[in-house]
Amino acid sequence: MRIEKYKMLLSAAQNAAPEQQQILYQRAYSTAEASYGKHSPEVYAVLSALTSHLENKGIYGDALACREQAKFMFRGS
């Protein structure tokens, strides 16, 4: 069974110390985008996880930006 790098980074981000989470989410996004393309379901999965993370932290402006980016991905494709 092959485990994609972006999935490992997502898992690491969810279990990381708070100061490391944002960095790991960004790396997961970059990895998914590079491996699967900008409009891929994998990138959408990372954006969804990041949106939830930001909402849980009370960072609603950035969460809204992530949500809008995810919406734009599917309107533009």
Side-chain angles (χ1 to χ4, degrees), residues 6-70:
Y6 87 96
K7 285 184 181 179
M8 290 187 327
L9 288 166
L10 270 180
S11 178
Q14 293 166 346
N15 297 309
E19 62 274 4
Q20 295 296 316
Q21 288 177 324
Q22 189 73 23
I23 294 166
L24 290 169
Y25 278 115
Q26 290 171 341
R27 288 181 60 197
Y29 177 86
S30 297
T31 300
E33 186 177 41
S35 297
Y36 300 99
K38 186 173 185 170
H39 298 287
S40 67
E42 291 81 5
V43 170
Y44 183 80
V46 174
L47 284 173
S48 295
L50 180 55
T51 299
S52 295
H53 165 72
L54 292 170
E55 287 174 345
N56 289 338
K57 296 291 181 184
I59 308 171
Y60 299 109
D62 290 345
L64 180 61
C66 285
R67 183 173 287 122
E68 289 301 313
Q69 183 178 354

